[in-house]
Amino acid sequence: MSQWESLLKLTGQFQDNLMGLYSEELLPVEVRQYLAAWIESQDWKLAARDQSLASVHFQNLLEHLDMQYSYFSMEQNILQTYNFRRFKHDMQSRYQEKPKNLAEQIRDILQQEKQILVESQEMEIQNGQVVQEPVETGKQYEIDQRVRKVKERIQSVDQEVKFLEEQQEMFDFRYQMFQRELQSGKLQDNYIKLKTQEVQVQLNELDRKRKDVLSQIRELLGLCETLHGFLLEELNDWLRRQKLACIGADANTCLKNLEGWMTKTAEVFFHLRRLLHLLSELSKQLTYENDPLKTEPQTLQYRLNEMLHSLLQISFVVDRQPIMLYPCRRALVLKTSTQFSVRARLLVNLNELKHNVKVSYKIDKNPPNIKGFRKFNLLGPVEKSLEDVQREGLLVDYKHLTLKEQKAGGGGKGGKGATDGALCVMEELHNITFTTNFDYEGVKLTLEAVTLPFVVISNLSQFTGAWSQTGTVSCSRGRKDLTFFSNPPAAPWSLLANALSWQFSCCTERGLNPDQLQMLEKKLCGSVSKEENAVTWVKFSKENMPRASFTFWVWFDAIVMLVTGHMKNIWKDGHVMGFVSRGIEDSLLKTMQQGTFLLRFSESMRDGGITCSWVDHQQDGSYSIRSVQPYTKRELSHIPLTEIIRNYQLLAEENIPENPLKYLYPNIPKDEAFGKYYEQRSELTLEYQKYLKRRLIIVSERNIDDSQSSIASGTPQHFAETPQYDPGTPMHDSDPFQNSLDMDLNNLIDGFKIEDLLMDHTSDPMFSGPQVESSELLHDSFNAYQ
């Protein structure tokens, strides 16, 4: 897809910005539309500096306008025929004498187009949308054109060198014949003078041809240097995308195009290297005073070798970062004694290199000077050959590597023997270096590819913390050293927000929207401002949140796992609002019709919880926002959230149980939103039946306070008068279902009617709603308990 085609898909303000670039005075948009492919294939940056190239581009533009004019005439498109005739006349009048001005205008317009594309993609990322990489961007098209151009030019130079070689052979033959004639002594002076002049003319022609060939090679090297710069930029973009993909971004990490460009460019470099060597040999066969082939090929060869070595160095990459095969398939977090895989790839895919290039590895080749830094043995096949895998490239794949810690005398890292000042296990970073000796056509070079920094854990309980570490490193700009956590920089919120959204996107196939990210920003940064907020490493992963006994990352990661394991379907459908503060919840629900509810995540539960809040309007015009006790993975593993919402009941004043949850915010009927996920009654298991028959619903009224979003303990603070019940007895312990059944049994024995029991959870912002028991099913609950 060309750059122009991508731009035409923009909407809103971005489309307006695009149209603002074009005017009749600069470049008409119709010319940009119909000549898009040709315009994007030309080097306008160079033309803006080179008067002769600008003139060539200008004449070519006029020819293309003539061709388009002829096409419209044949189609009898009178309007466009008139427009293009006028366009050509205007172009000639404006730029005939100043073609560089036109080149500058088009150069600037193309650059501004790219900037608009970048801004639109950044906006889509901020909105939590998946940005699909275009099949072929304008830059990719430009690289394609440049690769094609250098391939054509090297063929042309090759023909010129062959012609020069033939010309030199012919000159040498004639010169040797003339020398033999001179040695015979039979030639007249006039003939000798004439032949000498002929030889000098031929030598001058040979000298001119040599200089012309060298000039063409210098021009070709200039094109190669520009192409090399483009390839380096494209590789850096790929490395950035790979880095983001490791933390969940839906980024395009395909290397097919880059491998093709690098391979073709390397072929040009090696071809040109052979031609320069041939030119040096020609100078040894025949030389003369001021021979340009005596010294210049060596200079050009040095310049070419620098580019070739650089291209080969950057072409050796780790195309798949270290990742465990099980149980947690997230890149850059490895566990000792657990197998993991990693893969390196040579993007210069020459047939002669297959099976002839050996690759070895070493962990922590240059370990940092950090006190207590652990050392590991990397177990697996040390040396393997690069293999040409069909459709994947020239690669070496290590599928079953294992890390084993080298035990030190003072105790293991992270244990009691850890010394003061040393980094903890999850702040300690490691890497693997792959090395290969490249040897092809006289080019001998040691190539290295290094993995991104990864964390090594010894217990799966450390996984959540380790994943936050790798995510922080990946969010940072340019920091790849192993001492990152000795002095970690603050992460810009814009990058961190994208990473958090990607976590949801890669696990649940739906990212976070701006409102959800705004709530998280306020939670981490304390406010949402126009200025760039930054989050410190301590704030993100080490320091407990206010009024909580856990960190932000522990809480956030637990919610990701809760959604992934128990409500992925309704999250993908957009039915879970999730991250929403008390104040926002109140403002959203208070104007809604009776029974409107929303689903949001609990802020008070370390292992993740989800609660349901709804609006309850009173006859006097007042309202209250009520919530159920948050459900955790323990409850949701027994009953799906959709079944809880479906069967939730509240005891009305007439002792008639009813479901207060009627409309999912803003006004979607409950059954319409969740109906496709309801269980068939015939499919309910006995385990479901036991829980569904229980109708103990906790009642709580929340003190409405829009200015706070506190983290509460979740402990009940008030009960209705219940002579037979001791308020000190915990109702909410490790298993709320079992506790409620225990209370059912005790109250039955004491002759107490359970429907009179009320509870008020004012201390927890997540709890705020009436929850009562339907005594109609109490005997069934008792029987199930028995």
Side-chain angles (χ1 to χ4, degrees):
M1 183 184 297
S2 68
Q3 178 172 304
W4 184 249
E5 289 175 327
S6 300
L7 288 164
L8 291 179
K9 295 183 178 181
L10 299 179
T11 58
Q13 183 62 41
F14 297 112
Q15 188 181 68
D16 295 339
N17 294 343
L18 174 64
M19 292 299 104
L21 298 178
Y22 294 96
S23 66
E24 298 298 321
E25 291 75 21
L26 299 177
L27 180 69
V29 70
E30 290 93 336
V31 173
R32 180 68 175 97
Q33 166 71 24
Y34 289 103
L35 304 184
W38 178 81
I39 289 175
E40 292 179 22
S41 67
Q42 306 307 305
D43 191 344
W44 297 102
K45 293 180 181 178
L46 184 58
R49 303 191 302 267
D50 188 329
Q51 178 71 27
S52 60
L53 182 59
S55 298
V56 171
H57 282 2
F58 178 71
Q59 293 302 321
N60 288 337
L61 175 62
L62 296 181
E63 290 179 7
H64 278 81
L65 290 175
D66 281 337
M67 292 171 58
Q68 202 63 42
Y69 171 81
S70 300
Y71 173 78
F72 288 134
S73 297
M74 293 174 59
E75 295 289 326
Q76 296 185 349
N77 189 332
I78 300 175
L79 179 60
Q80 293 296 2
T81 300
Y82 169 78
N83 285 339
F84 270 75
R85 183 171 56 188
R86 178 170 54 85
F87 294 157
K88 180 183 177 182
H89 176 75
D90 291 344
M91 291 288 179
Q92 286 177 313
S93 62
R94 291 194 188 99
Y95 304 115
Q96 186 74 53
E97 302 300 326
K98 300 178 181 179
K100 284 180 64 177
N101 289 359
L102 175 63
E104 291 171 357
Q105 294 286 356
I106 298 179
R107 176 201 62 189
D108 294 342
I109 288 176
L110 292 177
Q111 187 60 40
Q112 291 176 63
E113 285 182 356
K114 290 179 181 178
Q115 184 61 34
I116 292 174
L117 271 180
V118 170
E119 291 175 356
S120 68
Q121 292 174 358
E122 289 177 349
M123 179 64 72
E124 289 177 346
I125 292 176
Q126 293 175 6
N127 291 339
Q129 300 174 1
V130 177
V131 179
Q132 296 293 341
E133 292 281 340
V135 176
E136 185 179 38
T137 64
K139 185 171 67 173
Q140 290 174 334
Y141 181 79
E142 188 170 4
I143 295 175
D144 266 332
Q145 294 300 311
R146 289 182 179 275
V147 170
R148 179 186 58 79
K149 190 172 184 178
V150 296
K151 290 283 285 185
E152 292 175 352
R153 293 299 296 272
I154 191 63
Q155 296 299 328
S156 174
V157 171
D158 183 76
Q159 293 297 321
E160 292 296 318
V161 171
K162 289 179 180 178
F163 179 75
L164 173 61
E165 187 178 18
E166 293 173 356
Q167 187 177 358
Q168 178 169 312
E169 289 176 356
M170 182 61 68
F171 172 81
D172 186 58
F173 174 76
R174 291 174 178 174
Y175 181 76
Q176 294 300 331
M177 291 293 294
F178 177 56
Q179 290 298 317
R180 290 192 188 101
E181 290 178 346
L182 283 176
Q183 291 174 3
S184 68
K186 299 178 181 180
L187 299 178
Q188 296 180 1
D189 292 343
N190 290 338
Y191 181 78
I192 293 174
K193 184 177 180 180
L194 180 62
K195 294 295 291 187
T196 302
Q197 291 176 349
E198 289 180 359
V199 169
Q200 187 61 47
V201 169
Q202 292 171 1
L203 182 60
N204 291 340
E205 181 64 25
L206 181 64
D207 181 69
R208 187 197 63 78
K209 187 62 179 178
R210 285 185 172 187
K211 291 178 179 178
D212 181 58
V213 169
L214 290 173
S215 176
Q216 292 186 45
I217 291 178
R218 285 195 296 270
E219 184 180 351
L220 176 57
L221 279 174
L223 295 175
C224 290
E225 286 175 339
T226 305
L227 175 58
H228 179 270
F230 272 97
L231 293 176
L232 180 58
E233 183 181 346
E234 186 69 16
L235 178 66
N236 288 333
D237 285 345
W238 176 84
L239 291 172
R240 177 186 58 81
R241 294 196 301 271
Q242 186 196 46
K243 190 176 177 182
L244 297 178
C246 286
I247 57 174
D250 187 14
N252 179 14
T253 57
C254 178
L255 283 167
K256 183 178 179 181
N257 287 341
L258 193 55
E259 180 188 68
W261 297 328
M262 284 196 169
T263 300
K264 292 176 182 177
T265 303
E267 290 172 346
V268 170
F269 286 176
F270 278 109
H271 193 168
L272 186 52
R273 195 170 179 273
R274 291 190 291 270
L275 292 180
L276 287 172
H277 177 72
L278 177 58
L279 290 177
S280 296
E281 292 299 315
L282 291 178
S283 178
K284 293 177 182 178
Q285 296 169 11
L286 174 65
T287 187
Y288 48 88
E289 188 177 358
N290 298 323
D291 181 5
L293 294 187
K294 269 189 175 181
T295 57
E296 194 161 356
Q298 289 74 20
T299 304
L300 297 177
Q301 184 84 53
Y302 179 80
R303 183 178 165 190
L304 173 63
N305 284 342
E306 281 190 327
M307 283 192 292
L308 177 58
H309 290 181
S310 174
L311 182 72
L312 292 173
Q313 287 284 6
I314 67 175
S315 69
F316 192 41
V317 298
V318 178
D319 73 324
R320 288 187 184 174
Q321 296 295 329
I323 184 170
M324 287 190 291
L325 305 180
Y326 69 90
C328 304
R329 285 190 58 83
R330 285 187 180 178
L332 306 179
V333 178
L334 306 180
K335 180 179 175 296
T336 54
S337 303
T338 301
Q339 290 185 344
F340 68 93
S341 64
V342 61
R343 196 172 78 175
R345 182 170 176 176
L346 185 61
L347 298 179
V348 175
N349 190 358
L350 303 174
N351 292 331
E352 296 81 359
L353 300 178
K354 183 171 62 174
H355 301 302
N356 294 326
V357 180
K358 304 292 184 181
V359 178
S360 59
Y361 58 76
K362 183 177 179 60
I363 185 169
D364 298 332
K365 182 178 180 181
N366 299 303
N369 186 19
I370 297 177
K371 192 174 183 179
F373 188 81
R374 291 177 298 168
K375 296 182 179 180
F376 293 92
N377 293 325
L378 192 52
L379 308 180
V382 177
E383 190 174 80
K384 296 183 71 173
S385 297
L386 283 171
E387 298 181 358
D388 188 9
V389 179
Q390 187 177 13
R391 297 183 180 179
E392 291 193 74
L394 197 62
L395 54 87
V396 56
D397 195 358
Y398 292 93
K399 296 182 178 179
H400 305 289
L401 296 180
T402 307
L403 287 171
K404 185 175 180 62
E405 185 177 357
Q406 299 177 12
K407 294 299 181 181
K413 180 79 173 184
K416 295 181 180 180
T419 56
D420 295 337
L423 295 176
C424 73
V425 169
M426 291 172 291
E427 291 179 344
E428 191 182 88
L429 299 175
H430 302 266
N431 61 23
I432 299 172
T433 301
F434 295 95
T435 305
T436 182
N437 293 319
F438 184 89
D439 187 353
Y440 179 73
E441 292 193 2
V443 178
K444 296 183 178 181
L445 201 62
T446 299
L447 308 181
E448 287 189 352
V450 185
T451 66
L452 291 172
F454 56 80
V455 177
V456 180
I457 61 177
S458 56
N459 193 293
L460 287 179
S461 62
Q462 301 168 319
F463 180 80
T464 297
W467 178 241
S468 70
Q469 261 79 342
T470 59
T472 302
V473 176
S474 297
C475 279
S476 65
R477 291 189 176 104
R479 293 292 296 270
K480 294 183 179 180
D481 59 281
L482 303 186
T483 61
F484 178 87
F485 286 104
S486 296
N487 185 26
W493 170 251
S494 58
L495 290 178
L496 187 58
N498 289 337
L500 295 177
S501 180
W502 293 330
Q503 286 302 295
F504 264 88
S505 181
C506 72
C507 295
T508 67
E509 302 177 33
R510 183 184 180 89
L512 302 178
N513 62 37
D515 292 334
Q516 293 165 333
L517 289 173
Q518 188 179 82
M519 184 268 191
L520 294 177
E521 181 182 10
K522 188 173 183 180
K523 197 172 190 65
L524 266 178
C525 305
S527 63
V528 179
S529 63
K530 294 182 179 179
E531 298 181 1
E532 178 75 357
N533 280 320
V535 181
T536 64
W537 166 240
V538 172
K539 186 79 170 177
F540 180 73
S541 186
K542 301 189 75 172
E543 186 180 275
N544 289 340
M545 293 187 294
R547 295 177 293 279
S549 59
F550 45 87
T551 66
F552 172 87
W553 173 254
V554 168
W555 170 72
F556 181 85
D557 188 67
I559 289 176
V560 174
M561 294 299 100
L562 182 72
V563 173
T564 304
H566 302 288
M567 60 188 82
K568 185 176 179 179
N569 48 10
I570 60 176
W571 172 264
K572 285 175 59 178
D573 291 344
H575 295 332
V576 180
M577 191 167 291
F579 298 107
V580 55
S581 65
R582 290 180 60 189
I584 298 299
E585 176 193 69
D586 187 282
S587 63
L588 291 176
L589 290 177
K590 67 182 181 182
T591 59
M592 296 293 104
Q593 59 184 316
Q594 179 77 13
T596 302
F597 67 96
L598 56 81
L599 300 172
R600 68 185 182 99
F601 301 128
S602 169
E603 297 177 64
S604 63
M605 310 194 77
R606 175 192 178 94
D607 296 328
I610 187 164
T611 186
C612 180
S613 301
W614 73 92
V615 61
D616 187 11
H617 293 287
Q618 310 300 327
Q619 293 183 354
D620 61 359
S622 62
Y623 74 94
S624 59
I625 306 299
R626 304 179 182 273
S627 299
V628 301
Q629 177 178 327
Y631 296 99
T632 66
K633 60 184 178 182
R634 182 162 187 169
E635 291 85 35
L636 297 180
S637 64
H638 294 292
I639 308 178
L641 182 60
T642 50
E643 289 300 307
I644 293 175
I645 296 172
R646 177 188 186 184
N647 296 285
Y648 184 78
Q649 289 189 358
L650 178 70
L651 191 64
E653 295 181 359
E654 299 81 7
N655 289 336
I656 301 174
E658 64 176 20
N659 192 331
L661 311 178
K662 301 184 183 301
Y663 304 99
L664 179 67
Y665 181 87
N667 56 2
I668 308 174
K670 174 189 63 178
D671 293 339
E672 180 181 325
F674 304 108
K676 63 180 178 180
Y677 299 114
Y678 288 164
E679 298 276 4
Q680 297 296 324
R681 289 297 181 184
S682 59
E683 297 176 359
L684 294 178
T685 64
L686 292 177
E687 188 74 10
Y688 277 25
Q689 289 284 5
K690 180 176 73 172
Y691 288 121
L692 289 178
K693 286 180 179 180
R694 186 180 64 79
R695 290 294 184 271
L696 177 62
I697 306 300
I698 302 172
V699 174
S700 61
E701 291 187 3
R702 183 178 62 183
N703 181 22
I704 305 299
D705 184 359
D706 294 347
S707 64
Q708 298 182 7
S709 181
S710 61
I711 307 295
S713 64
T715 305
Q717 298 213 354
H718 174 70
F719 300 92
E721 261 187 61
T722 53
Q724 287 82 7
Y725 182 69
D726 181 6
T729 303
M731 278 288 294
H732 177 46
D733 198 0
S734 59
D735 189 344
F737 291 140
Q738 188 63 52
N739 288 336
S740 51
L741 287 175
D742 289 342
M743 195 186 70
D744 288 349
L745 178 61
N746 293 333
N747 286 335
L748 279 173
I749 294 174
D750 294 337
F752 179 69
K753 295 184 66 176
I754 193 67
E755 60 264 29
D756 295 333
L757 178 63
L758 301 176
M759 293 180 62
D760 185 4
H761 288 280
T762 59
S763 66
D764 191 337
M766 295 296 112
F767 303 169
S768 74
Q771 305 175 359
V772 239
E773 154 113 11
S774 171
S775 59
E776 182 178 348
L777 299 174
L778 189 57
H779 292 292
D780 292 335
S781 299
F782 175 73
N783 292 334
Y785 180 80
Q786 291 287 71

